[in-house]
DNA sequence: ATCTTAACTGTGT
DNA sequence: ACACAGTTAAGAT
């Protein structure tokens, strides 16, 4: 059956983010002023208590991130993707704040050392930027690389963690 | 140091 | 089957 998702806004100093939840956890987080990708999003009117609690955690975690601090707690992350993508995203969550990795290293870590380019694709498909630190992944030569959400965001997030490029 | 090219893999159409 | 992508390593200039 189709997972029902609920969208809730998160107001921050940098604009209004949009979070989407399923019954399993946070599924998607969108940057402000960016059209929500049309996955299978179904809005519902009344979020239950479980989701409201997650949303509180998400908002708090996001704001800490944007303030350059490490969130003490995360909501359950339940992004919908292929097996490969899930591996990549899970691997990215392991990157400690303030550190970076290359697309090649991620590829090797998930057992597909040559799928570096595919890893780039998975990063671009990451539905939960900021919380899933796709911005900590740079090109092999420590260059900025690209960023689906806009390179300015990537630079900003990196700067917040004291990473120079 | 910068540019060009070829190799490689997952995903969408 | 084909083209593309948030790459990379190697070779040429």
């Amino acid at each position: 059956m189709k997972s029902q998702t609920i969208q809730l806004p998160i107001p921050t100093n940098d604009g209004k983010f949009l979070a989407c939840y399923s019954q399993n956890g946070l599924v998607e987080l969108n940057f402000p002023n960016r059209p929500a990708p049309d996955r299978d999003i179904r809005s519902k009117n009344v979020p239950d208590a479980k989701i409201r609690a997650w949303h509180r955690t998400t908002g708090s975690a996001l704001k800490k991130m944007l303030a350059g601090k490490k969130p003490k707690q995360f909501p359950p992350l339940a992004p919908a993707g292929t097996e490969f993508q899930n591996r990549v995203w899970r691997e990215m969550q392991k990157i400690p704040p303030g550190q970076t990795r290359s697309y090649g290293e991620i590829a090797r870590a998930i057992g597909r050392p040559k799928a570096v380019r595919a890893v780039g694709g998975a990063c671009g498909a990451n539905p939960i930027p900021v919380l899933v630190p796709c911005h900590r992944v740079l090109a092999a030569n420590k260059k900025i690389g690209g960023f689906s959400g806009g390179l300015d965001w990537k630079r900003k997030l990196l700067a917040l963690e004291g990473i120079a490029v």
Side-chain angles (χ1 to χ4, degrees), chain A residues 51-160:
Chain A
I51 289 180
R52 282 203 307 272
W54 289 344
H55 191 56
R56 260 170 55 96
T57 308
T58 303
S60 153
L62 179 60
K63 284 167 190 166
K64 285 233 166 105
M65 278 286 191
L66 294 178
K69 299 186 175 180
K70 181 183 173 182
K72 57 180 63 167
Q73 194 180 7
F74 285 86
L77 306 181
T82 65
E83 190 59 34
F84 179 81
Q85 291 170 335
N86 280 311
R87 284 229 203 93
V88 173
W89 298 336
R90 203 170 58 224
E91 191 62 35
M92 286 194 295
Q93 292 173 53
K94 294 195 205 161
I95 308 177
Q99 293 192 21
T100 66
R101 274 199 181 178
S102 72
Y103 296 94
E105 285 176 296
I106 298 284
R108 192 172 64 79
I110 62 175
R112 298 272 183 311
K114 295 170 187 166
V116 286
R117 207 126 179 229
V119 167
C123 290
N126 171 26
I128 314 181
V130 187
L131 261 45
V132 174
C134 43
H135 57 277
R136 297 192 189 127
V137 184
L138 306 182
N141 42 3
K142 301 304 184 215
K143 285 200 193 287
I144 186 83
F147 196 66
S148 295
L151 272 179
D152 43 342
W153 269 108
K154 184 165 183 176
R155 292 202 197 91
K156 172 167 190 158
L157 293 169
L158 288 173
L160 280 173

Side-chain angles (χ1 to χ4, degrees), chain A residues 8-18 30-34 62:
Chain A
L8 295 173
I10 304 179
T12 74
N13 296 332
D14 294 290
K16 190 173 74 175
F17 284 68
L18 188 61
N30 292 300
F31 283 117
N33 301 329
R34 207 159 286 274
L62 179 60

